[in-house]
Amino acid sequence: MEEKKFDFKSIIGFVLISGVLMWMMYSNAPTPEEIKEKEKLEQVQKEKKETVTTTTDKLVETAPANDSLSQVKAKEALGSFAYSATLPSAKEEYTEIKNEGLSLKIANKGGYIVDASILGFDQFEKGSKKTVKLIKDNNANLDLVINTADNRVLHTKDMFFEPKYSKEGENEVLTMRLKAGPNQFLEYRYVLKPGKEYMLDFGIRSQGLENVINTSKPIDLEWQLKTFRNEKSISYENRYTELVFEYEGGKDDYLNAAKDSEDEAKDVSYVAFKQHLFTSILLTDTPFKTAKFKSDNLVDDEANDSVFTKNFVAKLPLEVKGGVVNYNMNWYYGPSKYDILNNYDKNLDEIMPLGWGIFGWINRYVFIPVFGFISGIGIGYGISIIIFTILVRIAMSPVTYKSYVSQAKMKVLRPEIAELNEKFKDNAMKKQQETMKLYSKAGVNPMAGCLPALMQMPVFYALFQFFPSMFDLRQQNFLWADDLSSYDALLTWEQNIPVISFITGNHISLFALLAAIAIFFYMKMTTGDQQMSAPTQEGMPDMGKIMKIMIYISPLMMLFFFNNYASGLSLYYFVSNLITIGIMLVIKNYIVKDDKILAKIQENKSKPKTESKFQRKMREMMEQAEAQKKANKK
C-alpha cells in the first residue's frame, strides 16, 4: 500500500474551508430572542415525547391487551406482529424442558434457548458442583430477520412468543408462536425425548403469513454462540474449539481455530459450534442453500481472558415456498464423544478432529474400538492407556526390529565404506558407484532404515489426534493426575515469567517431564549406533555432531510442547518410550549380534547377484556420466 504524505495545498484548502464554515456559523447565529423561543418549543416537544414509547423492547413490555394506545404503538412498530405484543405471554419468562441428560430453558422473548445445561458433568474439575452449561447469561441467540409485506425489517429475538407445553407419549413438546393473529403465526417447535438423550427435534414453520411477510425474500436465520470455558486449561480447550460444517452432500470443513476466520458454503446440512469436549449442533433435513460462517478468537491472554473461548456466528437463509416457511431440524447439545455422535448416523463423527485420510481411518477402525474394549473392562483409564500403549508397541515391534537390523548392517559395513571414501576421495562418481556395488553384494538396502520410520508416522500422528478427542478421559484420575484430558501439574506458580510462562504456562507437567526424560535416554542409547551406521559424506554436514546436539534439544522441545497437552497423551509417550527402550535392549543384546550380521554379509558377498531393472538402470546412468566426464577432460 502506498504511504500517504502531507499535501501542502490540501492543508491550505482545509484551512480555507474551515474559515468559511466558521464565518457562516457566526453570521447565521440566532439572536438571544430566537434562542429563548427555540428552547420553549423544544421543552413542549420533549414533554409530548415522554408520553410515547418508540422502542420495540419497551413497547412489548408495556402493551396489555386492553390498552388501546399501546396497541396502536405496537402496530406502528411491529405491523401485524403487534398482536403477539398484546398477549398475556408478552413477559420476560421462560419454560423448562428436561430429561436425564439435558436441561433447556426457552424464553418467551425470542422463543429460543437461553439456558442449556449438560446434566451429570462438572465444570472445570470433578466435584466442582458447577454444571456444564453451553448456554447461559445471554451468551447465545437465535434470530430470524423477517422482511414484511409493508416494508418492515423485524427481528424475532426482540419479539415475544406464546409458549404452549404438552406431552406426546413420553416426549416433552414445547411450541413457541410469534403471532400476527389468532391463526397466523411463526412457530418454533421443540421436542425432547426421555432418557439420556442430547438430540432434540426442532421445527420452524409459518401459518397464515402469506400476506404478512414478503414471500419474495428468504428469512435469514442467524445463530450466534459465545462459548464458555468448561475445562481446566482454557488454552488447551480453545485449541480444539472450532466451527465445523457439512455441505454439498457430505463434505465437511471447518474454520481455523487458531485465528479469526470466515467462510461461505452451499447446501449446508449441519453447523457445529464445537468446543473441546462438548458441542452445539444445528442440523436440517432441508439443506441451507447458502451459508456464511464467522469465528472470532476471544483468548489473547490466558491470565485475563478466562471466561470465553470463541465467538461463533452462522447466517443461514430459510426459503419461503408458496408463502410458507417449513423446516424440520434438530439441535444437539452434549458431549463431543465419538460413540454418541456416530450413533446418530448423520456424519456427526466428522466434527471430531481424528485426522484426515489414513490417520482418521486408523483412529476410527483401530484405536477407538481397541481402547473402548480395554477401558470397558473397568480397570481404570490410566491402566487402560498403559495396556493400550503396550499393544501398540508390540504391534509396531517388527518395524522397530527392521529398523535396528538395518542400522546394524550399516554399522558393520562402515569400515569398508570409509575405505572406499578414502580410495576414491577425488572421484565422487566412482565412489558412489563402488559404494552401491558394496551394498548390492552385501545385500544391504541403505534406505531400509528410513522405511520403518516412515511406516510409524501414520500411527504417531493418529495417536496425537486420538488422545485429545477422547471424551472418556475427561476428569478421570490416575496417580497424581486428577484429569487425564488436561495437564497434570508438578509445579505451579502465579507470577508470570517472561518466555517460560508463554511456552509452558504457569506449571510443569510431571508426565510430560517423564516423557522427555525417557526420550532423552532412548536417544542417548540409539545415537551412537546411528552415528556408526551413517558415515559422513564429502560436502555433507557432520551428522554425528548434529545428533549429539539433538539428544538435548529434542527432550526439551517435547517437554515444552506437551506440557499443556492432556496428561493421558504424555502418559502414553512416557510408557511408549520406556517400552521402546526395552525392545531395543532385547534386540541388541539377545537377538541381533554384530558377528552374525557380518557373517551373513560375507555370505551374501559370495553369492552371485542378479541385478534388478532399477539397479541396472542406475549403474548404466552412472557409467554414462563417468564416460561423459572423461570425454570432457579430453
Side-chain angles (χ1 to χ4, degrees), residues 492-507:
T492 60
W493 59 88
E494 304 228 351
Q495 186 74 24
N496 185 61
I497 304 174
V499 182
I500 293 178
S501 292
F502 176 77
I503 296 174
T504 67
N506 286 2
H507 69 276

Side-chain angles (χ1 to χ4, degrees), residues 58-75:
K58 186 68 177 176
L59 173 68
V60 295
E61 290 174 5
T62 59
N66 60 354
D67 189 337
S68 58
L69 180 59
S70 296
Q71 292 181 32
V72 170
K73 290 183 290 184
K75 185 72 175 178

Side-chain angles (χ1 to χ4, degrees), residues 59-64 83-93 108-109 159-163:
L59 173 68
V60 295
E61 290 174 5
T62 59
Y83 183 85
S84 272
T86 63
L87 297 175
S89 56
K91 299 176 182 177
E92 294 279 1
E93 296 178 347
N108 289 7
K109 187 176 183 180
M159 296 187 283
F160 284 103
F161 287 63
E162 182 181 53

Side-chain angles (χ1 to χ4, degrees), residues 31-225:
T31 63
E33 292 78 10
E34 290 175 331
I35 292 174
K36 289 182 180 180
E37 187 65 28
K38 184 178 180 181
E39 288 176 349
K40 289 181 181 180
L41 182 60
E42 287 177 350
Q43 182 63 30
V44 172
Q45 291 176 343
K46 183 179 179 180
E47 290 174 357
K48 289 182 178 180
K49 284 184 178 180
E50 287 178 351
T51 62
V52 180
T53 304
T54 57
T55 63
T56 303
D57 289 346
K58 186 68 177 176
L59 173 68
V60 295
E61 290 174 5
T62 59
N66 60 354
D67 189 337
S68 58
L69 180 59
S70 296
Q71 292 181 32
V72 170
K73 290 183 290 184
K75 185 72 175 178
E76 290 176 355
L78 304 176
S80 298
F81 286 108
Y83 183 85
S84 272
T86 63
L87 297 175
S89 56
K91 299 176 182 177
E92 294 279 1
E93 296 178 347
Y94 61 83
T95 306
E96 183 177 12
I97 56 175
K98 65 184 297 185
N99 58 19
E100 294 177 16
L102 193 59
S103 175
L104 303 172
K105 293 179 181 178
I106 295 92
N108 289 7
K109 187 176 183 180
Y112 59 87
I113 298 170
V114 293
D115 190 290
S117 302
I118 315 301
L119 305 179
F121 298 102
D122 295 327
Q123 191 181 35
F124 306 136
E125 59 186 4
K126 197 169 185 177
S128 68
K129 297 182 180 179
K130 295 179 180 179
T131 302
V132 168
K133 288 181 178 287
L134 303 186
I135 300 176
K136 66 173 183 176
D137 300 337
N138 300 314
N139 71 314
N141 71 64
L142 181 75
D143 184 28
L144 299 189
V145 182
I146 301 172
N147 293 277
T148 66
D150 54 358
N151 296 321
R152 302 172 192 272
V153 178
L154 302 178
H155 293 262
T156 59
K157 67 178 181 179
D158 297 327
M159 296 187 283
F160 284 103
F161 287 63
E162 182 181 53
K164 182 180 179 182
Y165 174 84
S166 62
K167 295 272 285 187
E168 291 181 358
E170 295 185 354
N171 297 340
E172 293 190 64
V173 180
L174 178 65
T175 58
M176 305 293 293
R177 290 180 176 179
L178 175 63
K179 291 189 170 184
N183 296 308
Q184 297 173 288
F185 53 82
L186 177 72
E187 179 185 85
Y188 296 163
R189 189 173 191 268
Y190 300 89
V191 180
L192 184 62
K193 300 178 179 66
K196 211 163 189 177
E197 176 61 58
Y198 303 103
M199 182 84 75
L200 63 150
D201 297 337
F202 176 65
I204 298 178
R205 73 180 184 96
S206 64
Q207 177 177 302
L209 300 181
E210 294 84 349
N211 297 321
V212 176
I213 62 176
N214 185 344
T215 57
S216 65
K217 294 183 178 181
I219 295 176
D220 292 326
L221 183 155
E222 182 174 304
W223 178 32
Q224 178 266 336
L225 178 66

Side-chain angles (χ1 to χ4, degrees), residues 94 101 118 139 154 166 238 250 333 419 421 447 560-561 567 570:
Y94 61 83
I118 315 301
N139 71 314
L154 302 178
S166 62
N238 194 42
Y333 293 104
E419 185 179 334
N421 287 341
M447 295 299 294
F560 292 151
F561 189 76
S567 53
S570 300

Side-chain angles (χ1 to χ4, degrees), residues 342-598:
N342 189 48
N343 284 339
Y344 288 114
D345 197 25
K346 293 178 180 288
N347 294 329
L348 297 183
D349 59 295
E350 296 294 339
I351 76 168
M352 304 294 296
L354 298 175
W356 54 272
I358 189 173
F359 313 116
W361 187 92
I362 292 172
N363 276 326
R364 284 181 173 85
Y365 303 111
V366 181
F367 289 161
I368 290 177
V370 170
F371 187 80
F373 174 78
I374 296 170
S375 60
I377 298 174
I379 55 178
Y381 283 94
I383 301 297
S384 296
I385 290 174
I386 293 173
I387 294 174
F388 176 76
T389 308
I390 293 171
L391 292 178
V392 172
R393 294 318 305 167
I394 290 174
M396 297 304 295
S397 59
V399 177
T400 306
Y401 173 78
K402 281 276 189 183
S403 179
Y404 183 81
V405 169
S406 177
Q407 289 179 17
K409 287 180 178 179
M410 294 293 292
K411 183 174 69 172
V412 169
L413 285 178
R414 182 181 173 90
E416 295 184 59
I417 295 172
E419 185 179 334
L420 291 175
N421 287 341
E422 180 63 27
K423 184 177 181 180
F424 300 105
K425 62 182 178 180
D426 297 325
N427 192 334
M429 183 65 70
K430 187 66 175 175
K431 179 174 64 178
Q432 188 69 19
Q433 286 178 335
E434 293 301 319
T435 302
M436 293 299 293
K437 284 181 183 178
L438 176 63
Y439 287 152
S440 179
K441 286 181 181 180
V444 174
N445 182 356
M447 295 299 294
C450 300
L451 293 175
L454 290 175
M455 290 175 63
Q456 293 185 70
M457 288 302 294
V459 175
F460 176 85
Y461 182 77
L463 286 165
F464 185 73
Q465 297 293 104
F466 171 77
F467 281 99
S469 299
M470 287 302 295
F471 181 89
D472 290 338
L473 299 181
R474 185 177 189 268
Q475 295 179 0
Q476 297 294 329
N477 66 301
F478 179 66
L479 299 178
W480 56 84
D482 57 5
D483 188 347
L484 287 170
S485 72
S486 187
Y487 63 81
D488 61 297
L490 170 65
L491 296 173
T492 60
W493 59 88
E494 304 228 351
Q495 186 74 24
N496 185 61
I497 304 174
V499 182
I500 293 178
S501 292
F502 176 77
I503 296 174
T504 67
N506 286 2
H507 69 276
I508 295 294
S509 170
L510 181 53
F511 274 130
L513 180 61
L514 291 173
I517 293 171
I519 199 172
F520 169 79
F521 283 106
Y522 169 73
M523 293 186 70
K524 192 80 172 173
M525 183 183 75
T526 59
T527 297
D529 290 339
Q530 290 173 353
Q531 289 175 270
M532 288 293 291
S533 67
T536 302
Q537 298 293 325
E538 185 179 351
M540 298 296 289
D542 189 343
M543 293 304 296
K545 292 181 179 178
I546 294 175
M547 290 303 296
K548 285 180 180 178
I549 296 172
M550 291 304 295
I551 288 175
Y552 300 96
I553 292 179
S554 294
L556 280 175
M557 290 176 62
M558 184 167 190
L559 172 60
F560 292 151
F561 189 76
F562 285 97
N563 194 61
N564 287 313
Y565 272 71
S567 53
L569 181 62
S570 300
L571 170 62
Y572 169 83
Y573 282 115
F574 168 57
V575 176
S576 179
N577 284 320
L578 286 182
I579 295 171
T580 304
I581 290 171
I583 291 174
M584 293 292 285
L585 287 172
V586 170
I587 293 173
K588 184 176 182 178
N589 296 320
Y590 299 100
I591 299 176
V592 177
K593 299 289 187 179
D594 288 353
D595 55 347
K596 291 183 179 180
I597 289 177
L598 181 60

